[in-house]
Amino acid sequence: MLPSSLHRGARSSCVALLPLATGTLLALSLVSSASASAQPAAPAFDLSVANIMRGPEHYGWEPQQVRWTADGQWVYFRWVPAGSAWNTPMSWHRVRPAAGETPERVDEAHADSIAPYLASGPVTRDGRTRAVSANGDLWLIDTRRGSARRLTETVAGEADPRFSADERHLLFQREGNAYALELATGAVRQLTDVRSGTAPRDSARATGQRGALVQDQLDLLNVIRDRARTDSTARAMREAAASRRLPVLYAPAGERITSVSVSPNLTVAVMLTTVAGTGARTADVPNYVTASGYSEMIPTRSKVGDAQSRTRAWRVDLATGARTALPVIGTDTAQRAASVSIVGWRDDGSMALLFTTSADFKSRYLVSVPTDGAALVTDALRDSAWVNGPCFGCAGWLPDGRAWFVSESSGYAHVYAANPDGSGRVAITSGNWEVLQAELSPDRRWFWLHTSETSPYVREFWRMPVAGGTRERLTQETGGHSVTVSPDGRRVANVYSSSNTPPELFVQTLTGGNRVQLTTSTSDAFRSAQWLAPPIVQIPASDGVPVPARMYTPESVGATRNGAAVIFVHGAGYLHNVHEYWSSYAREYLFHHLLVSKGYVVLDIDYRASAGYGRDWRTAIYRHMGGRDHLDHVDGSRWLQREHGIAAERIGIYGGSYGGFITLMALFTAPKDFGAGAALRSVTDWAHYNHGYTGRILNQPQDDTTSYRRSSPIFFAEGLEDPLLIAHGMVDTNVHFQDVVRLAQRLIELGKTEWEMAVYPVEDHGFVRPDSWTDEYRRILELFERTIGPNGSKASSR
């Protein structure tokens, strides 16, 4: 039931869902005759495939990029108002944080003018001034008055503003070089001279036979001696002039400079360079529906195991230009750094903090780099599978000079602190729950945390002293909260949802109190229906682990079971979908209502590898995708058979991307537990997917052929016994259309007949057009109806 605060006129009415002969649902408003005459009935929600696939036209667009103005008078956010067409682009809106205010759209000119006030950036130690980059220029924002001072107005973009240690200068980057702007005078001084290419070198002195000829010329001819003296004098003058200028920084041979960050004390810089992978080949995707009438190629990515770029880090002496390679992968020099990023500089400018992961994805290092002296390993995280987890990359400096970071070392993502050399490491949070997001408050007194502390099925907002200690929960309603605190720290803008109410923007005081709803994103028809809050059940897996799932039943909408069930498989692998807030699979959520209205039981499982349950759950698929994650769905089928009396042949399965992959594995390797399936935009052979995702989980195909063979459905296609629908966008730049083309050829060669393919010529990985969504889900519904449905080919299965 929707909360009454979200139901216009709900005080005098209630809503019931009744099944119709067509399988759609009708919303009946039960009102008294007096209220009925005073208030028109809300339009019923048409629970048909075509209407469901209008998507956000019904359930709305989530408010995004929420920002407060410095004076706290306005909340800005990107949004699409309720009732807009499916292809309406997001635009900036603003609203005063008070009851009864209506959001207003702002034009691009206004958005540009307000950008400096909404941008984030470092704050001076007294908290009075914030430095920001907005639209490529630098600004200072008075955090108390809300006024702005523009510092630059150039064609070149200025970025990464930071205060110097004495706060007299603003450091920034422009076109790959570092600069310092004196705040008192506005004078700008260039700090680095980074140039592309290789450093010029004087001609080498000839040797051997050629050297003898040169010496003869010098001995015999005055004109040659005169030229040599002139050249020597000119060289000396050039060198003397160069010594008075900035030293020129050139990347080492074969490398490209990607970032230069100067220390706040203006003595050294940390420079990052990229070494390109040699000989890497990019896969191209053909686009057939074009304005030109010709097929055009879309360059995409390389495949897993191909040559990959890597990052190196250097400390550069600003006075001399001398560079020193930094060991950013701890003491294991056999490893290469796949990526390095600069987290930030300590307040006094004495050292930088770098975040790096190794090329084999099994190590993560935090490295403190002093302006003088050897680099220090602040924290090392190693995993026999691969390092990752929520808030991966969250790190920074505490006011006392220690580093803080999020680590999965306990098995769950938590906040830690340590001295730069790694000593004094302490856990600031702990427990069998996860820190999902962490940041320091502007005054650096608090950690602001989004966590799952009370339940793995919620996302809540907490604050905690930076030294640790008692945490204070600042959100109370069960569901998902995404909080942005006002500049004065007294109020929060909160994008909140529950499992059956889509995200809306609310405002309230930091420590609680009445919430004020600022947006209404859903349509009247959507709000007229009584959407389910599906209960979370625990499925006992074959290895003894309880696996959470959402369960939708016909009884919950007044329908009668038809003896069949459908299991939905979420995508991405590492994604959380069994929770008590709005699903990222909103169309499927509505589609499940249609299925239950027709009598199907629906199960939605957070299988092994899903987010939200700690390191062991995340890495349970290491070296075998389609192993434990697939078995959790087999166990789900057997649970439906055992506990709900549903015949195995009347259990369907479907999903997209990773969900499509699991669907294929289910039908190819466990045909006795499923009766039909729909695999959407599915990976069929992991050796054809990208490196960053697949290399973590399965290593490289040339090194670990076993992992790839047992994880790729195409090698098990001979096991197909039941009807299969394959659906894929032809311009999918993520999981390439080639994946299902190769599978189709394999099925043809195997003589399989119980399969069909639907292709979508203009769709990428995530479909956009409602007509494409409708055609795809019409086919899914028809597949289940003609196979596992009450009048389907498998209806007699017991």
Side-chain angles (χ1 to χ4, degrees):
M1 185 70 179
L2 294 176
S4 58
S5 62
L6 299 186
H7 242 307
R8 302 283 176 88
R11 293 181 180 177
S12 59
S13 67
C14 60
V15 177
L17 292 176
L18 299 179
L20 301 180
T22 61
T24 62
L25 297 182
L26 177 66
L28 297 181
S29 295
L30 307 179
V31 296
S32 67
S33 57
S35 62
S37 61
Q39 182 176 349
F45 189 87
D46 172 22
L47 202 63
S48 64
V49 172
N51 193 46
I52 287 170
M53 296 307 151
R54 303 303 299 181
E57 291 185 5
H58 294 301
Y59 53 74
W61 286 261
E62 179 177 348
Q64 298 179 13
Q65 296 176 250
V66 177
R67 301 285 188 271
W68 289 84
T69 54
D71 58 10
Q73 296 301 306
W74 294 93
V75 177
Y76 281 74
F77 54 99
R78 292 185 67 80
W79 188 53
V80 176
S84 301
W86 63 272
N87 56 352
T88 303
M90 278 202 162
S91 58
W92 281 104
H93 288 71
R94 68 174 186 173
V95 63
R96 293 184 186 275
E101 295 287 337
T102 300
E104 61 184 35
R105 184 180 181 277
V106 299
D107 59 28
E108 291 303 315
H110 180 90
D112 286 345
S113 67
I114 200 68
Y117 300 90
L118 306 180
S120 58
V123 179
T124 52
R125 284 186 286 274
D126 62 9
R128 291 178 177 269
T129 307
R130 182 186 303 277
V132 302
S133 173
N135 300 324
D137 290 318
L138 301 177
W139 303 73
L140 292 181
I141 307 299
D142 187 316
T143 60
R144 301 190 180 185
R145 298 180 180 177
S147 58
R149 171 189 167 194
R150 188 174 200 149
L151 300 177
T152 64
E153 189 171 4
T154 63
V155 174
E158 289 93 20
D160 188 29
R162 294 178 293 111
F163 291 103
S164 61
D166 60 10
E167 297 187 342
R168 295 169 56 191
H169 294 83
L170 189 67
L171 311 181
F172 64 94
Q173 291 191 37
R174 176 195 290 159
E175 296 182 331
N177 275 297
Y179 295 81
L181 185 150
E182 189 174 19
L183 295 174
T185 65
V188 175
R189 176 162 58 100
Q190 187 168 340
L191 301 176
T192 63
D193 185 3
V194 175
R195 301 184 187 179
S196 58
T198 56
R201 293 183 296 178
D202 292 331
S203 300
R205 181 169 183 149
T207 59
Q209 176 261 345
R210 290 181 177 81
L213 290 178
V214 169
Q215 190 60 48
D216 285 346
Q217 296 294 86
L218 288 169
D219 292 342
L220 292 170
L221 303 172
N222 286 333
V223 66
I224 300 300
R225 289 193 292 271
D226 290 343
R227 288 175 183 172
R229 281 193 295 270
T230 301
D231 290 345
S232 177
T233 300
R235 183 182 304 112
M237 292 177 65
R238 288 196 305 270
E239 291 174 352
S243 69
R244 295 191 295 271
R245 297 195 299 265
L246 285 174
V248 180
L249 298 179
Y250 289 96
E255 303 186 26
R256 179 174 59 88
I257 297 174
T258 56
S259 179
V260 177
S261 180
V262 172
S263 65
N265 59 18
L266 309 183
T267 59
V268 303
V270 172
M271 179 175 74
L272 303 183
T273 63
T274 298
V275 184
T278 303
R281 179 176 178 180
T282 300
D284 294 333
V285 171
N287 183 11
Y288 294 101
V289 182
T290 65
S292 68
Y294 289 86
S295 297
E296 299 170 2
M297 301 304 292
I298 304 172
T300 57
R301 55 167 172 79
S302 62
K303 299 189 179 188
V304 59
D306 204 344
Q308 302 295 316
S309 63
R310 60 189 178 95
T311 306
R312 301 179 71 191
W314 309 80
R315 180 172 50 211
V316 179
D317 187 305
L318 291 181
T320 66
R323 64 172 184 259
T324 306
L326 293 171
V328 293
I329 52 173
T331 58
D332 189 351
T333 56
Q335 292 182 311
R336 293 186 297 110
S339 64
V340 183
S341 59
I342 303 170
V343 176
W345 291 87
R346 202 156 70 166
D347 289 353
D348 60 6
S350 62
M351 60 180 62
L353 186 64
L354 306 185
F355 182 94
T356 181
T357 54
S358 60
D360 64 1
F361 305 110
K362 299 183 187 300
S363 300
R364 183 274 289 149
Y365 293 95
L366 284 172
V367 179
S368 294
V369 181
T371 53
D372 55 0
L376 306 169
V377 177
T378 304
D379 188 69
L381 176 65
R382 299 179 182 86
D383 198 301
S384 57
W386 75 97
V387 291
N388 209 326
C391 218
F392 189 67
C394 294
W397 291 104
L398 293 173
D400 61 9
R402 294 181 299 160
W404 72 268
F405 50 91
V406 171
S407 171
E408 232 185 14
S409 59
S410 70
Y412 293 87
H414 282 291
V415 180
Y416 294 81
N419 295 318
D421 63 359
S423 64
R425 185 180 190 270
V426 295
I428 299 179
T429 64
S430 61
N432 293 345
W433 48 274
E434 297 191 301
V435 172
L436 307 174
Q437 183 179 333
E439 58 183 319
L440 291 183
S441 62
D443 60 12
R444 306 178 76 189
R445 295 175 51 214
W446 305 94
F447 274 110
W448 289 341
L449 306 174
H450 287 83
T451 81
S452 60
E453 182 166 354
T454 60
S455 164
Y457 312 122
V458 300
R459 175 187 170 95
E460 299 168 330
F461 182 66
W462 302 68
R463 72 174 177 181
M464 177 182 67
V466 293
T470 302
R471 290 181 296 279
E472 182 182 2
R473 178 180 166 189
L474 301 177
T475 52
Q476 302 302 322
E477 300 83 4
T478 298
H481 301 265
S482 183
V483 168
T484 305
V485 182
S486 64
D488 62 8
R490 298 178 181 178
R491 293 174 295 173
V492 299
N494 183 6
V495 178
Y496 165 75
S497 69
S498 66
S499 57
N500 61 352
T501 57
E504 299 287 5
L505 179 61
F506 297 82
V507 68
Q508 64 188 83
T509 59
L510 179 70
T511 55
N514 293 331
R515 293 185 305 157
V516 175
Q517 184 172 337
L518 302 180
T519 62
T520 299
S521 306
T522 54
S523 68
D524 291 340
F526 182 89
R527 291 193 303 278
S528 74
Q530 189 175 12
W531 301 105
L532 299 175
I536 296 174
V537 299
Q538 301 294 325
I539 298 171
S542 50
D543 63 351
V545 174
V547 177
R550 285 182 170 189
M551 189 170 185
Y552 302 75
T553 61
E555 297 88 345
S556 60
V557 297
T560 302
R561 296 194 181 201
N562 65 14
V566 172
I567 295 178
F568 169 66
V569 191
H570 71 67
Y574 190 65
L575 181 143
H576 197 192
N577 200 43
V578 175
H579 46 60
E580 295 181 297
Y581 45 94
W582 189 245
S583 173
S584 55
Y585 288 90
R587 286 181 178 87
E588 286 75 8
Y589 171 78
L590 303 189
F591 183 63
H592 296 163
H593 283 73
L594 174 56
L595 289 176
V596 296
S597 76
K598 290 177 172 292
Y600 295 90
V601 172
V602 178
L603 208 58
D604 173 2
I605 301 173
D606 258 358
Y607 50 89
R608 243 65 68 92
S610 297
Y613 307 97
R615 180 266 172 197
D616 290 349
W617 200 275
R618 176 179 65 78
T619 62
I621 58 170
Y622 178 59
R623 298 192 67 234
H624 194 184
M625 289 192 277
R628 190 63 257 175
D629 47 358
H630 156 59
L631 290 176
D632 286 345
H633 292 89
V634 174
D635 291 336
S637 170
R638 293 176 181 175
W639 180 77
L640 289 170
Q641 296 171 49
R642 183 176 63 252
E643 300 296 328
H644 293 269
I646 301 172
E649 282 297 296
R650 297 199 62 194
I651 298 174
I653 185 169
Y654 87 102
S657 194
Y658 201 95
F661 151 70
I662 290 292
T663 297
L664 293 176
M665 291 297 279
L667 266 62
F668 292 174
T669 67
K672 303 306 179 188
D673 289 291
F674 301 94
L680 322 175
R681 53 192 179 277
S682 49
V683 176
T684 68
D685 187 343
W686 286 107
H688 289 253
Y689 199 50
N690 69 47
H691 186 82
Y693 182 92
T694 323
R696 285 173 162 82
I697 305 173
L698 299 182
N699 304 315
Q700 298 192 87
Q702 62 268 38
D703 302 328
D704 197 346
T705 56
T706 298
S707 293
Y708 282 81
R709 285 295 183 102
R710 68 184 180 185
S711 299
S712 299
I714 198 168
F715 293 103
F716 302 95
E718 66 275 7
L720 180 63
E721 297 179 2
D722 298 299
L724 166 65
L725 167 65
I726 300 170
H728 213 107
M730 293 179 70
V731 288
D732 191 332
T733 58
N734 182 4
V735 180
H736 296 166
F737 184 56
Q738 182 191 30
D739 259 47
V740 293
V741 171
R742 293 176 66 243
L743 178 61
Q745 181 62 27
R746 177 76 176 139
L747 293 171
I748 290 168
E749 293 177 3
L750 289 168
K752 298 296 181 180
T753 60
E754 291 288 313
W755 65 280
E756 60 182 315
M757 181 181 290
V759 300
Y760 298 88
V762 300
E763 295 292 357
D764 200 338
H765 194 62
F767 282 18
V768 174
R769 298 184 58 83
D771 47 15
S772 299
W773 280 105
T774 298
D775 184 86
E776 184 178 51
Y777 276 74
R778 172 188 61 80
R779 293 174 186 273
I780 297 170
L781 181 60
E782 289 176 355
L783 170 71
F784 292 146
E785 288 282 78
R786 71 173 181 264
T787 56
I788 65 172
N791 301 309
S793 59
K794 304 198 174 190
S796 60
S797 298
R798 292 290 184 270

